[in-house]
Every structure is written in C-alpha cells, then in structure tokens.
Amino acid sequence: AYLPQSNGFNTMAYDTHAHTTVGNIPMQAGLYFGVAVNPAGTRAYVTNDYTDSLVVIDTATTQQVTDIALPAPGYEFLGGCNPRAVIVSDDNAHVYVTCETGNRVYQIDANSNAIIGDIGVGFPTGLALSASGTELYVGSFFNNTLRMVDLTDPAFAQRVSSQVGLPSEVVRQPGSALVYITHLPYENITIYNPTGTVDHPAGRIVGAVVVDSINDIEFSPDGATLYITRQPPAGAPGEIVTFDTAQVDANPEDVIVYAVDSAIPLPRPPSKLNLDSSASCLFVQDGASIMELDMHTRQLARDYFVGYGLLSQGRWLLPTPASQWVEFAQTVFEVNDNGGVAQIIVRRGCNST
C-alpha cells in the first residue's frame, strides 16, 4: 500500500502482510489527497496540492521517478492547480488528475509522463472512466453537474448532466455503466445512468441511496456490493455499511430511493477504504491506523498503527490480493445412490493468524 502522510512530508510504502514500512519516498511539504496505483501495480501516483504536482513512484524500487508539474495559467490568484483526485486507465496508458481551483483535468501519458490533454471543467472533483475507457466522468462542483468527456474527440466534447448536488466522489460500478456520486455535505449517493437516449441525451439520475456521514465508498470487484465508510452522529465509533447493487433498476420510470443494508461496527471513526482484489479483506484508514475487516466473517481481523497524517483518497492498495484467503475443495466420497459428490471446503480469511 502507498500511504501519503500529510504531516510527514513523505509517502510510505507499507507491507500489509508484515505490517511494516518497507520504504519512504520523501516529498516536498504538502497535503496529499489523491493516490492511484495503476492496474499493473508498477506505478503509484500521488498528488501534492502545495507544489501543484503529481509524484510518480516506481513500486519495484519504492523510489520517486519524477514529479510532474501541473500548471494552472490564469488561476494563480486562486492558489494554482490544487490537484486532488487521480485515476489510471485500465490499460495503464493514461493518468487523469483534477486541478480543482485550476478548473481543468489533465490527461497524462503514463510512458512519457507528459501532459497530453487539458480538459476544461469548472472545479472538478471526482473522476471515473467508462468501461470502454473512451469517456471520462468528472464531477463539477462549479455547477453541480456530472461532465461526460469524450476522450476520442481531440476537442474533448462534453455531455452535461442535470444537477446532481455538490459532487464529491465519482465511482463507476464494475460490470455496469452506472455511476455512483457522493456529495457534500456527505449525505446520500446519487446513482446516474450516463447512457444517452432520445429523451435524455446526457443520461439521467435513476436512483439515490439514503445514507449520511459518508467518508468514502468502494465497490467489490464484481460490482455486486458497495461499501461505505460512515461516521454516525453523537460520537459513535463508526461503521461500514453495505449496499446490494442487484436491486438497482437502471431504467426506471422515476427515480428510486434505496436504503443501505447491514452495518459492520468499527472501533474508531473511519476515513478512507480499499478492498483487496480477492474481495476478502477490507482495509480501512482512520488517520493513523489501518483496520482490516475479514469480509467472509464480517469481523475485525487486525488493527494496527501505521503513522500519523494518513489521508489517502483513491486506490492506494496494490492490485495483488492483500489477504490470505484460500478456498480448497476436495472430493471426499461419491454418493452412489444419487450420483452426488460430497466435498470438504477449507477457507481462510484475511487474518493470517
């Protein structure tokens, strides 16, 4: 995992198996908000809002490769670029990073680390890509809309949604075209279908998930479950709530309102979360520690201190399974009278003890 420390001026390369820091990548002073490990697991990208740059890290050596300057011409009086969200395309070829006060999204060539595209969006927040990788979804805080950017068009033509509230995170559901949008002040999640129709050329809102005090959201790899970090009111420790996406109607007559499912209690208030690629272990930050939840038992498996100032928004976990989950099926005997086969199944969750 790559974990920036906002008060430590470095990004930690952290081994979630051994529970130890295996590298420290020094960086200039700043608040680190955006992290993206590419799908190949070879590069980590970290935004630095103080230096208006994107740091590129080689995960094999845990060393900084380069620091890409992110200019914001004409917006220096607003503080420059102020980069925040960052994502990588599924083919590892392109990186997209928001310049919030610079009112743009940069497209970066991952091979040359050069800026190759400048997409104008008023105060961009969250980012997501379509399944084909040909359209970029951008939350626009400036006019409370979702921008759908055609990446095949050199001019980056955009479709613009109706108002979706004050957008924060933008996440596409795996295996689906649907986009889930969180809002400020961190209440409720909008479900948006970006598929254009005659009546709705820019797509439309098809649902809303009612939940408050949202800090972060993450889908399971198959898109079947949405995990939501939640800090309940009145000083309660916090929890993870889930949402079953199978119930969502992608083309209803009217917007449907949904409720969240069961909650998993946490010992402390959660901030950011990542689910490992086996969907067995959920890693939850709280600003200084990581809580590991075994998703098969829905119990806390580990809880350990990492370092102060953790604030990693995005994909900070490497794509290889971080859990110790194993499933083994072995035929025990044949039931001759009905042709059935009995099996014994051995399972091991993310708690390696």
Side-chain angles (χ1 to χ4, degrees):
Y2 283 82
L3 305 171
Q5 290 181 279
S6 61
N7 63 349
F9 310 139
N10 69 282
T11 290
M12 289 186 294
Y14 194 84
D15 187 328
T16 57
H17 286 300
H19 303 147
T20 185
T21 300
V22 296
N24 279 295
I25 300 93
M27 297 183 184
Q28 297 186 55
L31 295 175
Y32 304 99
F33 289 96
V35 183
V37 175
N38 68 356
T42 57
R43 290 287 187 272
Y45 300 89
V46 182
T47 62
N48 186 326
D49 71 326
Y50 185 80
T51 59
D52 280 349
S53 64
L54 181 69
V55 175
V56 184
I57 298 169
D58 184 337
T59 61
T61 63
T62 64
Q63 299 294 316
Q64 179 177 314
V65 175
T66 188
D67 194 358
I68 304 170
L70 302 172
Y75 293 95
E76 292 83 1
F77 68 99
L78 291 177
C81 172
N82 192 27
R84 184 103 25 138
V86 56
I87 60 172
V88 185
S89 60
D90 288 343
D91 61 3
N92 304 287
H94 297 103
V95 181
Y96 299 90
V97 58
T98 61
C99 281
E100 287 192 342
T101 52
N103 296 315
R104 54 180 29 92
V105 176
Y106 282 122
Q107 181 187 52
I108 297 170
D109 183 285
N111 290 321
S112 65
N113 294 317
I115 295 174
I116 59 173
D118 186 342
I119 305 166
V121 176
F123 206 101
T125 54
L127 296 173
L129 284 163
S130 64
S132 64
T134 58
E135 197 163 46
L136 179 69
Y137 306 127
V138 187
S140 174
F141 201 82
F142 182 74
N143 54 14
N144 305 340
T145 58
L146 181 70
R147 300 298 182 107
M148 291 151 279
V149 182
D150 184 353
L151 297 175
T152 67
D153 180 7
F156 298 118
Q158 299 181 23
R159 295 184 295 146
V160 183
S161 75
S162 58
Q163 290 201 347
V164 295
L166 298 173
S168 180
E169 280 190 271
V170 176
V171 183
R172 182 181 59 83
Q173 178 185 345
S176 170
L178 297 179
V179 176
Y180 286 60
I181 306 167
T182 65
H183 321 94
L184 297 176
Y186 309 109
E187 292 185 356
N188 301 336
I189 300 170
T190 294
I191 306 173
Y192 196 89
N193 188 342
T195 303
T197 64
V198 173
D199 294 331
H200 304 281
R204 67 188 182 102
I205 297 172
V206 297
V209 182
V210 177
V211 58
D212 62 5
S213 307
I214 302 167
N215 283 329
D216 198 9
I217 62 174
E218 171 100 349
F219 279 104
S220 59
D222 61 3
T225 304
L226 180 68
Y227 298 95
I228 306 163
T229 57
R230 180 174 177 270
Q231 172 55 49
E239 61 189 16
I240 301 291
V241 294
T242 60
F243 176 70
D244 181 359
T245 62
Q247 62 188 300
V248 175
D249 185 345
N251 292 289
E253 290 188 11
D254 298 304
V255 174
I256 300 175
V257 177
Y258 301 94
V260 293
D261 303 319
S262 57
I264 305 171
L266 296 172
R268 292 182 303 282
S271 56
K272 305 303 179 182
L273 79 164
N274 269 191
L275 183 69
D276 83 335
S277 58
S278 71
S280 300
C281 202
L282 188 67
F283 293 77
V284 184
Q285 297 182 32
D286 72 347
S289 303
I290 289 180
M291 296 170 275
E292 292 184 22
L293 297 175
D294 187 321
M295 300 316 296
H296 296 279
T297 64
R298 296 172 66 88
Q299 299 293 321
L300 184 67
R302 298 190 191 93
D303 186 354
Y304 46 90
F305 176 79
V306 175
Y308 293 110
L310 299 184
L311 192 62
S312 305
Q313 174 182 317
R315 188 66 195 175
W316 35 272
L317 199 64
L318 285 171
T320 53
S323 73
Q324 303 296 320
W325 177 257
V326 176
E327 181 169 321
F328 170 75
Q330 173 65 50
T331 300
V332 180
F333 57 85
E334 294 185 0
V335 183
N336 295 322
D337 59 346
N338 63 10
V341 177
Q343 291 182 321
I344 184 170
I345 296 177
V346 180
R347 290 179 172 150
R348 188 181 183 190
C350 70
N351 189 343
S352 62
T353 61

